[in-house]
Amino acid sequence: PAAGVLVVGNKVDLLPADCRGHLGRLRQRVAAACATAGLRGAALVDIRLVSAKTGFGVEGLVSRLQRSWKCAGDVYLLGATNSGKSTLFNTLLRSDYCKSRAPDIVDRATVSPWPGTTLNLLKFPVINPTCDRIFRRQERLKEEATKTEDQLSIEDKKYLNQLKKQGYLVGEVGRTFQRQKSTSEIDFDPDMLSYSMDEDPTHSPKEPEQREEFTYNEVKDARWCFDTPGIVKEDCVLNLLTEKEVKMVLPSHAIVPRTFILKPGMVLFLAALGRVDYLQGEKPAWFSVLASNLLPVHVTTLSDADAIYEKHTAQELLKVPMGGEERMKEFPPLVAQDITLKGIGTTEAVADIKLSSAGWVAVTAHAEEELLLRAYTPKGTALVVREPPLLPYISTIRGARIPGTAAYRTKKPPSFVENLRTTGSR
């Protein structure tokens, strides 16, 4: 069978658009990362940006999978923990990539923020994309692309609005090949439903439903899509956190960028999981935080920073970790790394400071302005300076300055639904 790797950038619904064409730039960043890892040429079949949660890009992914492999071999979903593999597995299970009867038989993958929840290799049988099926699928996609939000059912509108609140990028995953369920007659027994005034109604015991199974012919030559346990990264801050803390750190809704203007001698805390000190520079600079909306950001002075960390770590002000002094006895201390940057301009970030998996801070400074920063993450976790930044124009996505503070009002970019006619293009 034809082998190869199709790289999927998942959770794209969480990232706000900092300019037109940002998805193309994100795809280029993923391609560069693949090349650095040695994945290039014929081995790299394609790169797709999707959201398994909101459905954005999934129909295109299904079409690409069917064009690349048809039904020639098995497919394995591989990746790090919390990358959304199980959600993608569940979404593909209910798409045209899966045989029509399989969703009623195959167990759904467990979706959990806790690493290693996919303990067994779950799988579903891949449908054979014959010419007739591909034609019928294309007809369905064309028909759905002509719809507007006004033509959706009340239930579909409600679901769409819920997804738009959770993510910036939204799509719909439909099914062309639905299993035809036989309509069974309802047995009506009036004696079983009647009861006298002095007795309680009785319910006839139900026979346990027999679990459906695949037939021999359905699986004898089947190709399968497998969900696999996530690869645990050793230098990830999530490994240090409790399940409750992980839920605070992992974004579940679209990230709202938070921008602050700092002068030399000021400090920015991202909860108690990351810290960025602005040590030296001639002019103020902008620091845009991209992290879970549940994580607090606190700005203070360099002279007060250590005292605030000592007093408020594991308390309400910094929130994560949580649990007070007892929790901090087992939590590693913050370790510093000095960073030197040279500004590009007031509208374009020069670099991202990645605070392990807690999020990142995009730094924007005046052209040719030299900054000396010191960033901190918990001991044993990764602190990375990413150049060029992932969202270089993110500091421009902000509201008015809040008087008397270093913060700007937040501004959430609008949602985009990819397969409805009334939406604009990005």
Side-chain angles (χ1 to χ4, degrees):
V5 176
L6 194 158
V7 174
V8 179
N10 194 19
K11 299 189 179 183
V12 73
D13 60 297
L14 299 177
L15 297 181
D18 62 332
C19 67
R20 295 180 68 87
H22 81 293
L23 288 180
R25 187 182 62 244
L26 290 176
R27 192 176 184 277
Q28 291 175 358
R29 296 284 193 272
V30 175
C34 291
T36 301
L39 185 60
R40 57 171 70 89
L44 180 58
V45 174
D46 199 357
I47 296 171
R48 290 277 163 170
L49 301 180
V50 308
S51 167
K53 180 180 178 180
T54 69
F56 180 85
V58 174
E59 289 286 20
L61 173 63
V62 170
S63 297
R64 191 66 176 93
L65 286 167
Q66 291 177 336
R67 289 199 308 271
S68 298
W69 289 286
K70 298 189 182 297
C71 211
D74 296 332
V75 173
Y76 294 83
L77 303 181
L78 306 174
T81 55
N82 297 305
S83 59
K85 294 185 310 304
S86 294
T87 303
L88 181 58
F89 177 88
N90 293 336
T91 303
L92 292 175
L93 176 64
R94 283 157 178 77
S95 76
D96 283 343
Y97 196 56
C98 177
K99 286 191 175 183
S100 59
R101 219 166 68 86
D104 298 325
I105 301 174
V106 177
D107 289 327
R108 297 182 66 194
T110 302
V111 178
S112 168
W114 203 244
T117 48
T118 307
L119 299 179
N120 299 314
L121 280 181
L122 295 174
K123 63 181 182 178
F124 65 74
V126 174
I127 199 169
N128 184 15
T130 61
C131 292
D132 174 64
R133 285 173 176 159
I134 289 178
F135 175 78
R136 289 162 57 195
R137 170 176 162 77
Q138 288 174 340
E139 290 297 301
R140 175 181 68 81
L141 293 177
K142 287 179 184 177
E143 180 183 350
E144 290 180 352
T146 64
K147 290 182 179 179
T148 66
E149 284 192 41
D150 295 335
Q151 293 173 297
L152 299 177
S153 67
I154 294 176
E155 185 177 341
D156 286 342
K157 280 184 184 177
K158 184 177 180 181
Y159 181 61
L160 179 64
N161 288 331
Q162 180 185 3
L163 288 179
K164 286 164 73 173
K165 290 178 182 177
Q166 295 178 353
Y168 294 109
L169 302 177
V170 178
E172 182 184 1
V173 183
R175 300 202 69 191
T176 309
F177 320 111
Q178 296 280 3
R179 178 192 177 189
Q180 298 297 322
K181 294 186 178 180
S182 59
T183 56
S184 56
E185 294 185 5
I186 300 175
D187 294 328
F188 180 72
D189 184 355
D191 293 332
M192 293 298 293
L193 298 178
S194 64
Y195 59 96
S196 63
M197 295 294 291
D198 57 351
E199 68 178 6
D200 294 327
T202 58
H203 300 280
S204 58
K206 285 187 177 181
E207 295 185 7
E209 289 189 14
Q210 190 171 0
R211 181 181 173 86
E212 291 189 66
E213 299 290 346
F214 290 117
T215 65
Y216 172 76
N217 287 333
E218 284 178 312
V219 299
K220 67 174 182 177
D221 295 319
R223 295 294 183 254
W224 300 85
C225 177
F226 292 89
D227 186 25
T228 64
I231 302 167
V232 179
K233 296 184 290 184
E234 293 183 357
D235 56 0
C236 179
V237 72
L238 300 179
N239 300 335
L240 305 174
L241 304 179
T242 65
E243 184 172 3
K244 187 176 181 180
E245 292 165 351
V246 168
K247 288 180 178 179
M248 294 277 292
V249 172
L250 286 181
S252 59
H253 287 62
I255 295 171
V256 178
R258 289 171 280 179
T259 295
F260 304 82
I261 185 166
L262 271 59
K263 298 177 182 178
M266 298 183 73
V267 174
L268 182 148
F269 281 103
L270 176 59
L273 301 176
R275 167 179 165 177
V276 179
D277 298 357
Y278 184 6
L279 298 180
Q280 293 179 20
E282 295 295 326
K283 300 176 182 177
W286 292 266
F287 294 75
S288 301
V289 177
L290 281 299
S292 167
N293 303 328
L294 300 178
L295 287 183
V297 177
H298 186 73
V299 174
T300 186
T301 61
L302 191 59
S303 57
D304 293 337
D306 290 341
I308 285 177
Y309 181 81
E310 290 295 327
K311 181 178 180 181
H312 294 286
T313 299
Q315 306 295 334
E316 184 60 26
L317 182 68
L318 298 179
K319 276 193 177 178
V320 180
M322 54 183 67
E325 293 181 8
E326 288 300 315
R327 175 74 176 96
M328 294 313 297
K329 288 180 180 178
E330 59 186 27
F331 198 79
L334 296 182
V335 177
Q337 177 179 322
D338 285 358
I339 301 167
T340 302
L341 299 175
K342 180 179 285 189
I344 297 175
T346 58
T347 60
E348 183 176 356
V350 58
D352 293 332
I353 300 175
K354 289 179 59 182
L355 304 170
S356 188
S357 296
W360 75 86
V361 179
V363 181
T364 305
H366 291 82
E368 301 301 314
E369 175 76 6
E370 291 193 1
L371 310 179
L372 175 59
L373 309 175
R374 182 170 292 154
Y376 299 75
T377 53
K379 185 178 181 180
T381 65
L383 193 156
V384 177
V385 179
R386 179 167 53 199
E387 297 179 90
L390 197 62
L391 300 171
Y393 307 106
I394 196 64
S395 68
T396 63
I397 310 299
R398 64 179 190 241
R401 176 87 175 270
I402 300 175
T405 73
Y408 290 86
R409 298 190 187 280
T410 56
K411 181 180 178 181
K412 184 176 180 180
S415 295
F416 170 73
V417 185
E418 69 169 342
N419 43 8
L420 286 181
R421 185 166 55 85
T422 53
T423 57
S425 60
R426 281 198 177 196

